Amino acid sequence: GENVEQHPSTLSVQEGDSAVIKCTYSDSASNYFPWYKQELGKRPQLIIDIRSNVGEKKDQRIAVTLNKTAKHFSLHITETQPEDSAVYFCAASKAGRRALTFGSGTRLQVQP
Amino acid sequence: DSGVTQTPKHLITATGQRVTLRCSPRSGDLSVYWYQQSLDQGLQFLIQYYNGEERAKGNILERFSAQQFPDLHSELNLSSLELGDSALYFCASSGSWGEETQYFGPGTRLLVL
């Protein structure tokens, strides 16, 4: 089955700096890659997603890039703010099996 | 608010007991997914239902079962509970078959003592 690896497991940045989280996937048939933000004790919230026919997608301070050849995708957060502090999960799914396979999560801490 | 609801929010029970977790998907969504989040295993897919039928299984134990009812709400039944079943249980919903985007409910925190 699909395997998604995520790193780093923890990331600490200063407010205003950029943060990058990387994921790799194993199943070349995967074609949907969402990113979820989870605050302590809360639900995972979808923050951005990308499909395999697109190489990059941006939404304000958040961007995701996808390299299908290398089977990896990354989340970029610019101008980080303390409220960006949370655990971020990458995930992957494919046609015919839309259940999400999650990475292990990255705890992002933005220091004010 | 994602529009997905789950009850109860918290559940404390003893080993060997049985509990039922309930999920109501977003209005119009036909797919319901159940996920378990534990400290050591992360977020893991358990089972998916689509319009009342089981469609995919993940790492779901035989002691666990689920169903989706005609009104599209779903229940996850956990029996013969063990300490290791303590976790957050989330359901997520999506629209039509093949729809990728999933919206998560607030979760049920289960503590088995």
Side-chain angles (χ1 to χ4, degrees):
Chain A
E2 174 69 278
N3 182 48
V4 177
E5 294 191 358
Q6 180 173 350
H7 59 94
S9 56
T10 60
L11 181 59
S12 183
V13 299
Q14 292 294 316
E15 183 177 358
D17 286 351
S18 294
V20 180
I21 303 170
K22 298 182 179 183
C23 289
T24 60
Y25 61 98
S26 60
D27 189 344
S28 56
S30 290
N31 62 358
Y32 175 67
F33 308 93
W35 286 87
Y36 286 85
K37 174 184 179 182
Q38 187 179 29
E39 296 175 359
L40 190 61
K42 301 282 184 67
R43 78 185 80 204
Q45 273 189 291
L46 179 69
I47 56 171
I48 196 167
D49 56 12
I50 192 167
R51 291 163 178 81
S52 59
N53 58 346
V54 175
E56 184 176 2
K57 184 177 178 181
K58 285 184 181 179
D59 183 3
Q60 300 182 337
R61 297 185 297 109
I62 294 174
V64 57
T65 59
L66 171 65
N67 183 327
K68 287 189 295 183
T69 303
K71 289 191 282 188
H72 76 70
F73 56 113
S74 301
L75 177 71
H76 304 252
I77 305 174
T78 59
E79 300 171 24
T80 53
Q81 301 166 2
E83 50 265 39
D84 294 329
S85 296
V87 179
Y88 290 81
F89 290 94
C90 62
S93 75
K94 62 184 179 183
R97 184 175 172 86
R98 282 301 172 199
L100 295 170
T101 300
F102 285 89
S104 53
T106 296
R107 183 174 300 279
L108 173 65
Q109 188 160 12
V110 180
Q111 308 284 355
Chain B
D1 187 356
S2 66
V4 180
T5 61
Q6 288 186 249
T7 56
K9 287 185 180 178
H10 304 278
L11 204 45
I12 302 175
T13 188
T15 54
Q17 295 298 304
R18 172 189 167 95
V19 296
T20 297
L21 283 51
R22 181 187 171 106
C23 168
S24 292
R26 294 186 319 156
S27 178
D29 281 0
L30 299 176
S31 255
V32 170
Y33 301 79
W34 286 96
Y35 294 88
Q36 179 193 56
Q37 185 173 34
S38 58
L39 282 174
D40 56 344
Q41 295 290 327
L43 267 162
Q44 290 213 320
F45 166 65
L46 296 177
I47 196 164
Q48 178 202 3
Y49 276 81
Y50 178 79
N51 203 21
E53 293 187 9
E54 181 186 305
R55 285 304 179 103
K57 267 187 171 179
N59 299 320
I60 188 166
L61 300 171
E62 286 191 10
R63 300 184 285 108
F64 295 0
S65 65
Q67 54 185 325
Q68 186 179 28
F69 294 86
D71 66 353
L72 300 177
H73 90 271
S74 177
E75 293 181 357
L76 179 67
N77 301 296
L78 315 177
S79 62
S80 303
L81 285 167
E82 301 175 359
L83 297 177
D85 297 328
S86 296
L88 262 171
Y89 291 84
F90 289 104
C91 79
S93 74
S94 67
S96 56
W97 180 250
E99 168 70 36
E100 304 110 331
T101 307
Q102 295 182 28
Y103 298 94
F104 280 72
T108 293
R109 184 175 294 279
L110 173 66
L111 181 58
V112 182
L113 299 175

